[in-house]
Amino acid sequence: HVQLVESGGGSVQAGGSLKIACVGSGFRVKNNCVGWFRQAPGEAREGVAVTASSGLSPYYADSVNGRFISSRDKASDMLYLQMNSLKPEDTAMYYCARGPSACCSRDYWRKSACFTYWGQGTQVTVS
């Protein structure tokens, strides 16, 4: 049974940093297409950072490129999102997701509908 659980969200002042984590069960994070999405109230869910299982560099949304870093820890088999220089517009529910390998391609990584499994989300609020 595949599950994803996010943790580490919270409230932070603009310019601050926060690191959120995702743990998977029923599959190995390091061997799968996984990524981070976010959704603000009234907005569509958007891809933030998606990483293919092949070990290639993650795809990042333009709005977070250079500020956010997605990484995997092989030992703990967890996915992390280090968020630096946070802005109020980063406020959203952040979700961890897993999808077929094709979802981590250049053409599909932004498409939330491609991803099959989702966590419950963790709230990040920047003021």
Side-chain angles (χ1 to χ4, degrees), residues 39-63:
Q39 188 168 20
E43 302 289 332
R45 191 168 294 189
E46 66 168 341
V48 175
V50 169
T51 311
S53 61
S54 62
L56 296 175
S57 296
Y59 293 106
Y60 290 101
D62 290 344
S63 58

Side-chain angles (χ1 to χ4, degrees), residues 40-108:
E43 302 289 332
R45 191 168 294 189
E46 66 168 341
V48 175
V50 169
T51 311
S53 61
S54 62
L56 296 175
S57 296
Y59 293 106
Y60 290 101
D62 290 344
S63 58
V64 307
N65 198 21
R67 299 188 297 121
F68 289 13
I69 300 172
S70 178
S71 63
R72 307 187 200 208
D73 183 278
K74 292 182 179 180
S76 63
D77 201 37
M78 291 184 69
L79 180 70
Y80 296 99
L81 186 67
Q82 175 67 48
M83 302 179 289
N84 302 318
S85 302
L86 282 160
K87 305 175 181 180
E89 50 263 45
D90 295 318
T91 295
M93 186 72 78
Y94 283 72
Y95 297 91
C96 176
R98 174 203 168 192
S101 57
C103 298
C104 283
S105 66
R106 184 181 301 275
D107 293 335
Y108 290 100

